[in-house]
Amino acid sequence: MNPERVSIYVHIPFCARRCEYCDFNTYAWRGNIVRDTLEAICEHIRVADAEGVVVPTIFFGGGTPTFPEPELVIRILDAIRSRFNVSTDAEISIEANPGTVDRSRFAVLRQAGFNRLSLGVQSFDDRLLQALGRIHSSREAICSYEAARAAGFENINIDLMFALPDQTLRQWQHTLRTAIGLQPEHFSCYALTVEPRTPFYTMYRRGQLNLPDEDTDLRMYLYTIRALTRAGYEHYEISNFAKPGYRCRHNIVYWRNEQYLGFGPGAVSYRNGVRWKCLSNPRRYVQAVRDGLSLVEEEEQLACEQSLGETLMLMLRTRDGVDVRTVQERYGVNLLQRYANQLNRLRRLRLLEVTPDRWRITRKGLPIANTICAEFLA
Ligand code: SF4
């Protein structure tokens, strides 16, 4: 029997401080709860169903995984290796925020086996960094990047955000040019979205957040595509760009709607057609692990139709698009017949390229990719 390929996500739900726009499951807590949570994650991994599983990618996200002591984080990676059969060529990523790491911390993480780093820079404009509530300056971001390189990280992603309050196209161009000058292997560039239950949302409702208009937002996005492709990066997903050979293998698992297990408060898993989420609150998570109780906060059995719709939606996000034959084999449906209406309409509008083997969003369709993807949800 072929081994089952299942990726692993570890959620470290702590940050030095919460950013003004953040709606992730993260807490600006310190002290014992941080250690207790990381120990509970190790225990959670030790009892996971690992039978017949091979792990091609591991991703430590958050939160800020470089906020706790590296030794605690490394213990989690060791627990994964003891419990699971991790591929020898596995991609093992960790997110880091400037201001929480120096060269020696990076070196310890690199030596422990992390081989890809995702650095949350967001902007190279100090005024904007401050407005976002980030704990670092632009200078510190550059220092962190250089420290990571010096510590041996040869595969680095930089996270950037555009369409920030009061941001002009010129300011975004400056940030992007500075970032390109550093020559990371990968970029993730997202437009800011103002999420409910964040300080930015309150400011937005009060009319205190001056966001760029739609036209500027679009020009920033199109500039991003132009500048990064010119600099040698493949635009392989709506918001992601990589030098050849450096696409993020872990995120590709999500975009193909393949299987993954999540460990840590609020982490989501998807396996055998079931999606579930762990208890979000770290205190409740720790207690449940200690008491041997269920860690599931939400669970959903996905109907075949729903899973198919999600797979198409996720694959359309990528520039490779939908691999028609693979999806047909996986779900046993004739895709061209099943989605004839959507395909004809989107093709007529020149928003989607459709061949018998592949569907891809066109350049014209990219700025409204989310709307196009939603057409395929059941
Ligand atoms: S560093 Fe990231 S996870 Fe932490 S508060 Fe800021 S945006 Fe949220």
Side-chain angles (χ1 to χ4, degrees):
M1 210 171 76
N2 281 340
E4 212 185 333
R5 287 167 69 81
V6 182
S7 286
I8 289 182
Y9 173 73
V10 176
H11 191 74
I12 309 289
F14 302 108
C15 289
R17 184 171 93 195
R18 276 191 74 98
C19 302
E20 304 290 316
Y21 58 92
C22 181
D23 78 330
F24 297 133
N25 185 44
T26 189
Y27 305 80
W29 294 352
R30 288 183 155 72
N32 290 345
I33 185 64
V34 176
R35 173 177 289 269
D36 291 350
T37 303
L38 272 65
E39 280 171 1
I41 294 174
C42 289
E43 191 50 37
H44 184 183
I45 290 163
R46 278 184 210 116
V47 298
D49 174 12
E51 186 75 29
V53 166
V54 165
V55 179
T57 69
I58 301 172
F59 195 102
F60 279 54
T64 306
T66 47
F67 174 64
E69 287 305 312
E71 290 68 29
L72 295 173
V73 176
I74 289 166
R75 251 188 250 164
I76 298 176
L77 183 56
D78 292 343
I80 294 172
R81 285 190 169 128
S82 313
R83 182 73 184 165
F84 288 90
N85 178 6
V86 177
S87 300
T88 44
D89 68 342
E91 176 191 272
I92 307 179
S93 306
I94 185 163
E95 286 181 341
N97 277 313
T100 59
V101 250
D102 54 20
R103 183 173 165 172
S104 65
R105 276 191 176 222
F106 276 135
V108 171
L109 293 167
R110 182 70 193 93
Q111 274 156 24
F114 289 96
N115 53 27
R116 182 174 184 274
L117 181 79
S118 180
L119 200 58
V121 172
Q122 315 312 349
S123 175
F124 284 105
D125 181 314
D126 285 337
R127 191 190 54 78
L128 287 173
L129 287 171
Q130 214 174 7
L132 293 172
R134 305 287 302 177
I135 58 164
H136 57 88
S137 65
S138 152
R139 181 74 219 137
E140 280 169 320
I142 293 172
C143 289
S144 289
Y145 178 85
E146 284 166 354
R149 279 285 190 233
F153 277 98
E154 291 170 352
N155 186 357
I156 302 183
N157 166 61
I158 287 186
D159 270 345
L160 296 174
M161 284 166 70
F162 60 92
L164 303 178
D166 296 311
Q167 189 181 37
T168 61
L169 177 59
R170 200 174 270 268
Q171 285 170 332
W172 169 238
Q173 289 170 335
H174 166 75
T175 278
L176 201 54
R177 277 198 290 263
T178 310
I180 290 171
L182 295 173
Q183 287 289 302
E185 283 65 34
H186 192 282
F187 278 108
S188 294
C189 301
Y190 288 90
L192 170 73
T193 46
V194 177
E195 303 288 351
R197 292 184 298 279
T198 60
F200 263 13
Y201 189 71
T202 312
M203 289 169 72
Y204 178 71
R205 294 283 301 270
R206 291 186 186 143
Q208 295 167 340
L209 210 59
N210 181 27
L211 296 174
D213 57 30
E214 258 181 43
D215 183 51
T216 311
D217 185 332
L218 177 61
R219 286 200 294 154
M220 287 178 175
Y221 179 55
L222 295 178
Y223 175 78
T224 309
I225 297 172
R226 266 200 321 276
L228 289 177
T229 46
R230 243 186 245 148
Y233 294 87
E234 295 175 325
H235 181 202
Y236 75 104
E237 195 266 353
I238 297 174
S239 307
N240 285 274
F241 304 81
K243 285 194 177 165
Y246 287 96
R247 295 180 179 196
C248 175
R249 286 165 51 199
H250 187 83
N251 282 342
I252 289 172
V253 167
Y254 296 144
W255 297 323
R256 290 189 181 150
N257 211 10
E258 291 173 348
Q259 308 202 93
Y260 50 89
L261 286 173
F263 297 98
V268 174
S269 303
Y270 178 55
R271 193 172 177 197
N272 299 330
V274 182
R275 185 163 46 217
W276 70 95
K277 184 176 148 196
C278 292
L279 294 167
S280 302
N281 183 293
R283 292 203 171 93
R284 290 186 56 213
Y285 176 86
V286 169
Q287 201 54 51
V289 169
R290 284 181 180 162
D291 296 344
L293 298 174
S294 166
L295 299 175
V296 177
E297 186 167 87
E298 288 167 21
E299 187 178 56
E300 187 184 12
Q301 169 85 49
L302 271 80
C304 181
E305 188 82 346
Q306 191 186 355
S307 167
L308 168 62
E310 288 187 7
T311 301
L312 295 175
M313 185 189 79
L314 291 163
M315 281 186 169
L316 278 173
R317 292 188 61 88
T318 65
R319 299 304 289 136
D320 286 345
V322 173
D323 176 345
V324 174
R325 278 180 224 288
T326 307
V327 178
Q328 288 193 153
E329 270 168 33
R330 186 163 154 191
Y331 292 95
V333 287
N334 183 320
L335 287 185
L336 292 166
Q337 274 175 13
R338 169 79 180 71
Y339 292 98
N341 289 343
Q342 288 96 321
L343 295 177
N344 286 335
R345 191 172 59 251
L346 294 168
R347 189 161 45 180
R348 249 196 335 268
L349 295 168
R350 288 189 287 120
L351 298 173
L352 199 66
E353 246 173 62
V354 182
T355 70
D357 297 326
R358 205 164 281 282
W359 309 343
R360 281 180 80 219
I361 293 182
T362 59
R363 280 208 160 254
K364 182 184 173 204
L366 268 183
I368 53 158
N370 288 338
T371 315
I372 297 172
C373 291
E375 289 271 332
F376 293 87
L377 277 182

